[in-house]
Structures are given as structure tokens and as C-alpha cells.
Amino acid sequence: MVLAQEKIYTINDIYALPDETRAELIDGQIYYMAPPNTRHQRILSFLHLEIGNYIRANKGSCEVFPAPFAVFPFADDSKYLEPDISVVCDKHKLNDHGCNGAPDWIIEIVSPSSSPMDYYTKLSLYRSAGVREYWIVDPMKHTILVYDMEHDSAPTVFSFSDIVKVNIYDNLYINFSELDLGI
């Protein structure tokens, strides 16, 4: 009896998807992403503005990219990710396709369907790729889980009423109590 072989997907399969389809590629498997809800987009907009305004005001060399933005965290294209927010400080990693190599800081905003991926799979991938800082923002729990991977620190948990220090910068603090979720 011949067993059916599991299809192994490549970056070409990702590029062949319709424009409105968001998906990620991890080791030959495609993971489709649900469209973000309004709460997710409010958090994304808030963080993108806070980070972008800080970089501009301080004439920083880093750039902030909101999703959809392609990240190839390793030298090959076996992993294609679209973090909610990517901060890239090494301009040599950027090209027309996105970021080749680990961004310095990644933020994922959890949705019900992405929870295991954000908390486990992506944490492991980002850590092994060399991401310096990783935040998991969970709107359902009203928490921000901060991983300072550059210093191999234990994760720190904050709430949506806290002011959170960004570890890759000396003086960037994000006051989550200013976040208006419209609820």
C-alpha cells in the first residue's frame, strides 16, 4: 500500500497566494492567518505610532514595519513570517522582499487562532534567529509578555495599565494606559 505524501510548501507557494491571503511558511508548512479584528488593529496602530515617533524624534537608524511585512529570519527561505511589528536596525538586512535575517525587535499581537503560534512556535524561532527583543501583546488577557533575549533574561509580564520599558533602547517607554481599545 502506498501512503500519500504530505505536500512540502516553498516560498513560491506563498508568493502564489492571492494578495488578500495572509500566511506564513515554517519548515514546508503553510499557516494561514485570520484577518485581524478592530482591537488588534488599534493595538497595532498605537504601537506603530509610538515606536515610529520615538525613532523619528531621536533621529534613530532603526525602522519600524507593521504587518504585512516579510521576515526571513534565517539564511534560507524555509521560514517566511509576517510579525505584527518588526523593528530593524541593520539596513543591510532590508530589500524589496522584506527583512533577511532577524529583526532587532518583534511584536506579535495575539488573536484566538494565533495563540499557540505566538507563545511557543514563534518564540522559539525568534530566539534561535537572534531577535534581541520579543513582545507578545495579548488583548484577551490585557498583558504584555516581554522577552529580553539579548540579555537572556526571564520574561517579564506587564498589564495594559503599565508603562513598559523597551530593552533595545535606553529611553523608550510605552505607556499602555494611553491605549484606547474603544471598548
Side-chain angles (χ1 to χ4, degrees):
M1 169 183 236
V2 176
L3 296 176
Q5 289 190 348
E6 183 177 316
K7 175 154 174 62
I8 302 298
Y9 294 93
T10 69
I11 193 63
N12 292 330
D13 295 305
I14 290 287
Y15 289 149
L17 292 172
D19 287 342
E20 67 278 0
T21 302
R22 289 191 56 210
E24 296 178 311
L25 176 69
I26 301 173
D27 298 329
Q29 295 301 304
I30 291 180
Y31 297 89
Y32 292 93
M33 300 162 65
N37 63 28
T38 303
R39 180 182 294 191
H40 181 281
Q41 291 303 94
R42 284 184 176 133
I43 295 168
L44 178 74
S45 295
F46 170 77
L47 290 169
H48 181 241
L49 285 170
E50 291 290 307
I51 298 164
N53 288 338
Y54 172 84
I55 291 170
R56 183 178 309 109
N58 290 278
K59 297 179 179 26
S61 61
C62 302
E63 290 186 67
V64 59
F65 297 94
F69 178 71
V71 171
F72 300 90
F74 300 98
D76 61 16
D77 60 7
S78 68
K79 292 167 185 63
Y80 167 93
L81 303 171
E82 290 187 3
D84 289 307
I85 294 180
S86 302
V87 176
V88 181
C89 300
D90 181 352
K91 306 274 192 226
H92 294 100
K93 291 181 178 180
L94 298 172
N95 65 23
D96 284 344
H97 294 289
C99 179
N100 292 294
D104 293 84
W105 178 21
I106 288 179
I107 300 173
E108 293 286 5
I109 302 165
V110 178
S111 63
S113 63
S114 74
S115 185
M117 183 73 82
D118 294 335
Y119 278 101
Y120 304 106
T121 306
K122 289 185 179 180
L123 169 62
S124 176
L125 285 173
Y126 294 150
R127 185 184 306 277
S128 61
V131 171
R132 294 167 55 199
E133 185 163 354
Y134 177 45
W135 287 19
I136 301 172
V137 179
D138 193 325
M140 286 81 64
K141 297 178 182 177
H142 287 247
T143 60
I144 304 99
L145 190 56
V146 175
Y147 288 88
D148 180 1
M149 295 190 223
E150 183 174 40
H151 298 104
D152 203 26
S153 303
T156 307
V157 181
F158 296 93
S159 77
F160 278 22
S161 61
D162 289 331
I163 297 173
V164 182
K165 165 83 171 73
V166 178
N167 295 298
I168 68 165
Y169 290 110
D170 290 333
N171 58 352
L172 174 55
Y173 297 84
I174 297 179
N175 186 350
F176 273 81
S177 68
E178 294 176 352
L179 171 61
D180 181 8
L181 293 175
I183 51 175

